[in-house]
Amino acid sequence: PSLIHQWKHTDENDGIIAVDISPSEEFAITAEKDSIAWWRIADGTLLAVWGLADIKSLTISPDGQFALVGLPDKAIYLALQYGKTLYAFEHKDSVLTSDISASSLYALTGSEDHTAKLWDLSTGELKHSWQHRNELSTVALSKDDKYALTNAALSQTRLWKISTGKVYKELGPKLITLSTAEFSSNNKYLLTGHTTQRIDLWDVKTGKLLKFWRPKKDADWRPTAATILSLNFSLNNKNFYSIASNGFLQKWKK
């Protein structure tokens, strides 16, 4: 692999806390603690920068034109081209994780206030609110807008039916903390990444665990505290990629 762009976010040394690339692969957004930047991937151009206090999470829309930004008491849905907030989705505490559906019809926010909330992006209205025992660690939406995944720290992973707001499946052990999750484009499979450097592959229809992997470690003999940061299926859903906090990027055969 070769380096395409190297982006410096600001003159400050706060460090990048979140990055997201649009599924169209045309745009990217990066966040430091108090600012976000919007980039065009083709030529690396910085399109805009905004100052926002105490950013907690960041998600870009499929077309790369909108961003869902998690803040201490809400998430804002920002039209990047105009620098305008279209909606503010209220929570009682910090929004730690979020997702935007492939259709751009829904936004899903997970908060430190123990709730995950599904929002209608055509109206800004709350569609469902799901209570959990702990702060939310990971949320994700299936590509067909049928299911929402939620996981709170050391809690059960649940799939919810968006049409009814009811639980569809409960996955895996009851005490687990997920760090990331990704549905396949054909909506048949679900990948989940753990804070304990493990990747699980699930059958969405049955809720059964199909396979699991443990990515490469710095040293085979030494325990690792690496976390799975991101998972992405290939276009044909036959392979997937993982990035871990120890710096390893790996490609896997499903």
Side-chain angles (χ1 to χ4, degrees):
S2 59
L3 180 66
I4 298 174
H5 302 299
Q6 183 169 307
W7 291 322
K8 186 176 181 181
H9 196 241
T10 69
D11 292 331
E12 303 298 326
N13 293 315
D14 293 337
I16 302 297
I17 62 169
V19 175
D20 201 13
I21 295 174
S22 66
S24 66
E25 298 184 355
E26 293 180 88
F27 301 96
I29 49 175
T30 57
E32 290 185 344
K33 183 176 180 293
D34 296 315
S35 64
I36 66 171
W38 184 36
W39 310 86
R40 186 167 57 225
I41 292 175
D43 57 7
T45 299
L46 174 61
L47 300 174
V49 177
W50 296 272
L52 292 165
D54 204 7
I55 295 166
K56 303 295 186 182
S57 60
L58 189 65
T59 304
I60 196 169
S61 64
D63 62 4
Q65 298 296 308
F66 300 87
L68 188 59
V69 187
L71 298 172
D73 59 352
K74 61 181 173 288
I76 62 169
Y77 190 58
L78 182 67
L80 297 171
Q81 186 175 355
Y82 306 104
K84 179 181 178 181
T85 298
L86 298 184
Y87 304 119
F89 301 133
E90 292 186 1
H91 277 270
K92 294 180 180 178
D93 215 323
S94 297
V95 175
L96 304 176
T97 178
S98 63
D99 197 15
I100 299 173
S101 67
S103 65
S104 293
L105 291 177
Y106 300 110
L108 182 60
T109 53
S111 174
E112 203 169 0
D113 66 10
H114 300 189
T115 65
K117 295 184 178 183
L118 185 71
W119 307 88
D120 187 324
L121 287 178
S122 62
T123 63
E125 294 178 353
L126 178 65
K127 186 173 178 67
H128 299 300
S129 181
W130 296 304
Q131 187 69 39
H132 297 71
R133 292 185 178 181
N134 298 313
E135 66 182 41
L136 271 290
S137 59
T138 300
V139 298
L141 292 164
S142 65
K143 307 299 191 258
D144 57 2
D145 290 344
K146 287 187 177 180
Y147 306 110
L149 173 145
T150 65
N151 171 254
L154 291 174
S155 299
Q156 186 85 56
T157 301
R158 292 187 173 92
L159 292 181
W160 306 82
K161 289 194 75 170
I162 288 177
S163 59
T164 64
K166 304 297 184 183
V167 173
Y168 172 68
K169 298 288 182 183
E170 293 188 339
L171 306 179
K174 292 184 177 181
L175 300 176
I176 194 72
T177 301
L178 297 185
S179 51
T180 187
E182 177 75 11
F183 287 89
S184 63
S185 60
N186 61 11
N187 304 294
K188 292 182 179 180
Y189 305 105
L190 168 69
L191 285 169
T192 56
H194 296 215
T195 55
T196 55
Q197 202 179 17
R198 171 172 156 154
I199 300 167
D200 291 334
L201 177 70
W202 305 88
D203 183 301
V204 173
K205 185 176 181 180
T206 64
K208 300 294 185 182
L209 178 65
L210 300 176
K211 292 182 182 179
F212 72 91
W213 300 265
R214 292 192 182 277
K216 185 176 179 180
K217 299 193 294 184
D218 295 315
D220 291 338
W221 54 269
R222 188 168 59 194
T224 179
T227 295
I228 304 300
L229 299 177
S230 181
L231 294 166
N232 284 282
F233 281 98
S234 61
L235 291 177
N236 60 12
N237 296 308
K238 292 182 179 179
N239 303 296
F240 69 91
Y241 300 87
S242 68
I243 299 175
S245 61
N246 59 5
F248 286 114
L249 166 63
Q250 292 179 272
K251 181 179 180 180
W252 304 85
K253 186 175 182 181
K254 178 167 66 63

